[in-house]
Amino acid sequence: MALGRTAALRVGSLVLIATLAACGGGSDKEPPLENFTAEEIYKRGEYELEVGNPRRPVEALRYFSEVERLYPYSEYAKRALIMQAFAQHKAKKYEEARAAAQRYLDTYPGSEDAAYAKYLLALSYYDQIDEVGRDQGLTFQALQALRAVIEEYPDSDYARSAALKFDLAFDHLAAKEMEIGRFYLKKGHYTAAINRFRVVVEQYQTTTQTPEALMRLVEAYLSLGLTDEAQTAGAILGHNFQASPFYEDAYKRLKKQGLEPEAKGNGWLATIYRQVIKGAWL
């Protein structure tokens, strides 16, 4: 029986009660697991995951590992392996979760649950990129792993979830560039700031960071007296994000110097503006 999307969520209540009774659920000392079937040990592992105690994933791992050890050729050993990956992830042991998920993929590449294992592997990277200031290497690894889910299992529910997380991780990279760019801008290092905002506009144009990046380009170019570039950045911002408060800010900055948001010159922003008008960008 395949685990599918409900890999860790369902336990037959009657079987579980019988299993717990057999395992001496209320006693201080648990009987040797060798005395029980693969199904009974596996069910106990599921029970530990469902109880909700923070330490339960660790206890569940012991049962799933024992299923593999005692009944290595059973169907429950196969299911226990992917449940190890799930339990490791739930316990926030991300490297161990990746290792278990990869072992499952290596051992059972054609399984119905291969998509789930691939998704768990990707999730173990994604759930570590919770702060903009963290090492961006994890974000790149998350993107690569999420893309693998999307491309290899395009019709699965996991692909849809992976696509959403891919967009968020991509936005995360753009947010990091913005954070550094704002730092340089505040310090008056305008060229360095422009380089960061340019990366967002050119490489991360589909993210939520693009409107602010364009507004900051207006600000930085005006500070350098480069009005053509500032006006062009404002024009792109107005063309694509006219309802954004960032456009309102950029427009006010330009008007204050008697300028309008319009394409000027032949710089990199002017090239992008022409692409926008032709519908080749955004």
Side-chain angles (χ1 to χ4, degrees):
M1 181 177 66
L3 294 175
R5 287 176 295 167
T6 57
L9 302 177
R10 295 180 181 172
V11 179
S13 57
L14 294 177
V15 175
L16 176 59
I17 292 171
T19 301
L20 292 177
C23 289
S27 65
D28 293 334
K29 185 176 181 180
E30 182 180 74
L33 293 179
E34 287 84 350
N35 296 343
F36 304 105
T37 67
E39 181 181 8
E40 288 172 334
I41 303 171
Y42 179 88
K43 292 289 186 183
R44 184 57 187 263
E46 282 192 327
Y47 170 77
E48 295 293 346
L49 283 177
E50 290 197 346
V51 169
N53 187 300
R55 283 190 53 79
R56 292 297 189 176
V58 177
E59 290 298 313
L61 278 168
R62 183 169 69 89
Y63 290 110
F64 294 135
S65 297
E66 284 299 285
V67 172
E68 260 205 299
R69 184 180 71 85
L70 296 172
Y71 303 96
Y73 304 109
S74 69
E75 179 65 21
Y76 279 100
K78 176 182 176 181
R79 296 167 62 182
L81 177 54
I82 196 169
M83 291 302 288
Q84 287 179 56
F86 177 85
Q88 295 280 21
H89 184 270
K90 192 170 183 179
K92 301 186 186 303
K93 296 184 177 181
Y94 297 116
E95 289 188 18
E96 292 87 343
R98 287 193 285 274
Q102 188 59 59
R103 189 155 63 90
Y104 184 91
L105 289 166
D106 292 340
T107 308
Y108 310 106
S111 167
E112 291 183 28
D113 292 311
Y116 181 57
K118 198 80 168 183
Y119 179 71
L120 274 176
L121 195 154
L123 205 59
S124 69
Y125 285 115
Y126 178 82
D127 284 349
Q128 288 185 278
I129 56 173
D130 55 351
E131 299 175 6
V132 170
R134 290 183 68 104
D135 176 14
Q136 296 307 292
L138 283 171
T139 309
F140 283 112
Q141 289 173 302
L143 286 168
Q144 185 177 26
L146 289 165
R147 184 185 292 277
V149 176
I150 297 166
E151 293 179 348
E152 294 175 29
Y153 306 98
D155 299 324
S156 69
D157 289 339
Y158 306 117
R160 287 185 282 275
S161 179
L164 291 173
K165 288 179 170 57
F166 185 94
D167 289 343
L168 291 172
F170 201 58
D171 199 274
H172 178 94
L173 289 176
K176 182 61 178 179
E177 295 293 334
M178 290 301 301
E179 179 187 44
I180 299 172
R182 284 192 295 267
F183 172 80
Y184 285 138
L185 189 62
K186 186 177 180 180
K187 296 293 185 181
H189 303 317
Y190 300 117
T191 300
I194 287 168
N195 288 337
R196 294 293 181 167
F197 302 140
R198 179 173 179 172
V199 168
V200 175
V201 172
E202 290 187 326
Q203 298 181 28
Y204 302 106
Q205 62 266 41
T206 59
T207 71
T208 62
Q209 306 298 323
T210 303
E212 184 184 355
L214 288 164
M215 186 276 287
R216 298 297 178 187
L217 283 168
V218 172
E219 182 180 353
Y221 279 127
L222 286 177
S223 297
L224 290 172
L226 300 174
T227 57
D228 284 0
E229 288 80 358
Q231 288 177 269
T232 305
I236 296 171
L237 183 54
H239 186 274
N240 291 282
F241 309 101
Q242 193 165 16
S244 168
F246 292 114
Y247 175 66
E248 182 179 352
D249 191 341
Y251 185 80
K252 288 179 179 178
R253 290 175 184 273
L254 289 167
K255 292 296 288 184
K256 190 175 181 180
Q257 296 196 25
L259 303 172
E260 294 287 339
E262 59 181 318
K264 303 288 288 290
N266 295 301
W268 69 275
L269 280 167
T271 300
I272 287 178
Y273 182 82
R274 288 190 293 271
Q275 291 173 339
V276 171
I277 297 302
K278 293 177 181 178
W281 185 73
L282 293 180

